[in-house]
C-alpha cells in the first residue's frame, strides 16, 4: 500500500511523533511505502513530496515542529484546487491519506473523503478545541509552557508590585488560559467563551493589591469585553478566513494600570507555546494516534479520525470531529477559585 502523510495548519509539539509512528508501523509491519507531502496541502497541490522511510524518522521523536513542514493552504479556496489534489493523489498512486491537523486541515480531509479518497485523520491542535476527542496532542506541552511562565511571573510581579497580564493562544476556545490559570494560581482568567466585565476585572486586581499581593491576569487572545470595546485584530485573514488576533493583553494591561494607578505589564507568550520538545504525554498520545491511524487504513476505514476517549483510542467520523469546536463549558468550573471576568 502507498500511504500519503501531511501536517497542516499551525505547528505543534508531537507532530514528529505521529509521523514516526505511522512510518515505523507501515513499513515494518505491513511493507507499505509512505510518501510525505511537504507543507501541508500545498505539497499535495504541487506534488511536492519526500520519501519517508525508517531512516527519515530516526531521532525525530523528541523534536518539536514537523519535519514535513506545514502551511495554512486551503485547496478549496483556490480555483481548480480540489481537482489538482485529486490529480496528484491519482498520479502518485496514493492508496490512502493520513492528514494530521486541526479543524481546517481535517475540514479539507472531510471533503476529500466525501469525494472518494481514503482518508484517516489525526487530530492536532494546542488549543484542544477539536470536537470528538478528549485531548489533542500539543495541548499538554503548550499548557506546561504557559504554566511555567505564570510561575515565574508571580515572583517578579510581587517584587515590583505590578499587574502582569499573560496573553496565551486560544482564538475561540479558552482551554489553555483556563488550565494554565488554574495550575499557575492566576487571579483572573479571561476566555472567549465568556465576555468579561472590565470594571469587575479592575476591581479584582485592586482587591489583590489590597491584600498585599500582585495580580496575575491570564487572557486568551480571543477574549472579548462585554461592551465589545477591546476586540483587537490586524484585519488580515488566512486561507481559511480566520482573522489574525493579537493585542488584547497589551490593551488590558494599559487599562488596568490606568484604573488602579499601579504599573502593569503584558507578556505575550505567542508562538513560544507551539515550539520546543513535546511533553512525555504528548509524545505518547501522538504515537498512539499514529499507530491507530495505520490500523484504520489497513482495516479499510475512510472518513474517520482517531480520537482519545478516556484512555482508549477510538475511531470517529471526520464529520463529527469538524462539525463544531469544543468550547470550555464555563458552568462546570463554577467551583474554581479563579475569577472568570
Amino acid at each position: 500500500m502507498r500511504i500519503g502523510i501531511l501536517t497542516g495548519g499551525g505547528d505543534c509539539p508531537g507532530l514528529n511523533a505521529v509521523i514516526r509512528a505511522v512510518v515505523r508501523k507501515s513499513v515494518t509491519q505491513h511493507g507499505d511505502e509512505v510518501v510525505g507531502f511537504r507543507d501541508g496541502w500545498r505539497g499535495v497541490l504541487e506534488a511536492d513530496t519526500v520519501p519517508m522511510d525508517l531512516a527519515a524518522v530516526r531521532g525525530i521523536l523528541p523534536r518539536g515542529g514537523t519535519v514535513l513542514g506545514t502551511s495554512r493552504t486551503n485547496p478549496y479556496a483556490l480555483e481548480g484546487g480540489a481537482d489538482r489534489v485529486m490529480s496528484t493523489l491519482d498520479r502518485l498512486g496514493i492508496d490512502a491519506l493520513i492528514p494530521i491537523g486541526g479543524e481546517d486541515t481535517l475540514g479539507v480531509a472531510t471533503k476529500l473523503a466525501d469525494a472518494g479518497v481514503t482518508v484517516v485523520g489525526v487530530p492536532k491542535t494546542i488549543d484542544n478545541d477539536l470536537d470528538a476527542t478528549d485531548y489533542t496532542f500539543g495541548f499538554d506541552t503548550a499548557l506546561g509552557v504557559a504554566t511555567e511562565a505564570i510561575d515565574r511571573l508571580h515572583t517578579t510581579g510581587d517584587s515590583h508590585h505590578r499587574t502582569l497580564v499573560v496573553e496565551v493562544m486560544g482564538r475561540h476556545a479558552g482551554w489553555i488560559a483556563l488550565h494554565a490559570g488554574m495550575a499557575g494560581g492566576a487571579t483572573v482568567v479571561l476566555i472567549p467563551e465568556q465576555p468579561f466585565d472590565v470594571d469587575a476585572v479592575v476591581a479584582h486586581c485592586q482587591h489583590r493589591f489590597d491584600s498585599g499581593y500582585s495580580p496575575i491576569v491570564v487572557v486568551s487572545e480571543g477574549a472579548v469585553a462585554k461592551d465589545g470595546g477591546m476586540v483587537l485584530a490586524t484585519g488580515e485573514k488566512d486561507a481559511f478566513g480566520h482573522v489574525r488576533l493579537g493585542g488584547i493583553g497589551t490593551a488590558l494591561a494599559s487599562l488596568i494600570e490606568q484604573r488602579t494607578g499601579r504599573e502593569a505589564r503584558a507578556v505575550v507568550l505567542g508562538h513560544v507555546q507551539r515550539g520546543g520538545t513535546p511533553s512525555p504525554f504528548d509524545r505518547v498520545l501522538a504515537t498512539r494516534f499514529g499507530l491507530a491511524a495505520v490500523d484504520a487504513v489497513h482495516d479499510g476505514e475512510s472518513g474517520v479520525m482517531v480520537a482519545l476517549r478516556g484512555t482508549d483510542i477510538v475511531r470517529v467520523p471526520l464529520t463529527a470531529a469538524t462539525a463544531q469546536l469544543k468550547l470550555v463549558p464555563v458552568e462546570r468550573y463554577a467551583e474554581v477559585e479563579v475569577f472568570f471576568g
Side-chain angles (χ1 to χ4, degrees), residues 25 27 37 77-78 82 94-95 97 113-114 157 165 170 181 191 201 206 213 262 264 285 290 300 325 334 341:
K25 185 159 192 173
V27 173
F37 289 99
L78 303 173
I94 301 298
D95 299 301
L97 192 62
D114 290 341
V165 180
I191 58 177
V201 172
Q206 185 61 58
Y213 297 94
R262 301 285 192 101
L285 180 59
L325 292 175

Side-chain angles (χ1 to χ4, degrees), residues 37-165:
F37 289 99
R38 290 190 175 97
D39 301 336
W41 293 114
R42 184 200 66 78
V44 187
L45 281 167
E46 301 176 9
D48 186 0
T49 66
V50 57
M52 299 301 293
D53 55 15
L54 295 180
V57 299
R58 188 165 294 122
I60 70 172
L61 177 63
R63 287 178 56 182
T66 164
V67 295
L68 289 176
T70 188
S71 71
R72 296 191 183 278
T73 303
N74 180 4
Y76 288 90
L78 303 173
E79 184 175 354
D83 291 336
R84 288 168 60 190
V85 166
M86 297 295 284
S87 176
T88 296
L89 297 178
D90 181 63
R91 187 169 69 256
L92 296 180
I94 301 298
D95 299 301
L97 192 62
I98 299 180
I100 312 165
E103 57 167 325
D104 296 325
T105 300
L106 296 184
V108 172
T110 301
K111 294 178 180 178
L112 290 176
D114 290 341
V117 178
T118 298
V119 178
V120 174
V122 175
K124 169 245 41 160
T125 167
I126 67 169
D127 291 335
N128 198 41
D129 60 359
L130 199 58
D131 209 12
T133 184
D134 290 349
Y135 284 98
T136 53
F137 69 86
F139 172 67
D140 185 72
T141 303
L143 173 60
V145 171
T147 301
E148 181 180 355
I150 294 169
D151 288 344
R152 293 175 180 273
L153 291 170
H154 272 292
T155 57
T156 186
D158 285 340
S159 296
H160 289 270
H161 314 293
R162 60 164 65 116
T163 301
L164 284 165
V165 180

Side-chain angles (χ1 to χ4, degrees), residues 188 190 196-206 217 252 256 339 341:
V188 177
L190 306 176
F196 61 89
D197 185 313
V198 174
D199 293 336
V201 172
V202 171
H204 212 71
C205 289
Q206 185 61 58
V217 178
L252 190 58
I256 292 172
F339 176 70

Side-chain angles (χ1 to χ4, degrees), residues 15-50:
L15 283 167
N16 288 323
V18 180
I19 296 169
R20 173 180 177 271
V22 168
V23 172
R24 287 179 64 86
K25 185 159 192 173
S26 297
V27 173
T28 61
Q29 293 192 19
H30 300 286
D32 296 330
E33 180 183 358
V34 181
V35 177
F37 289 99
R38 290 190 175 97
D39 301 336
W41 293 114
R42 184 200 66 78
V44 187
L45 281 167
E46 301 176 9
D48 186 0
T49 66
V50 57

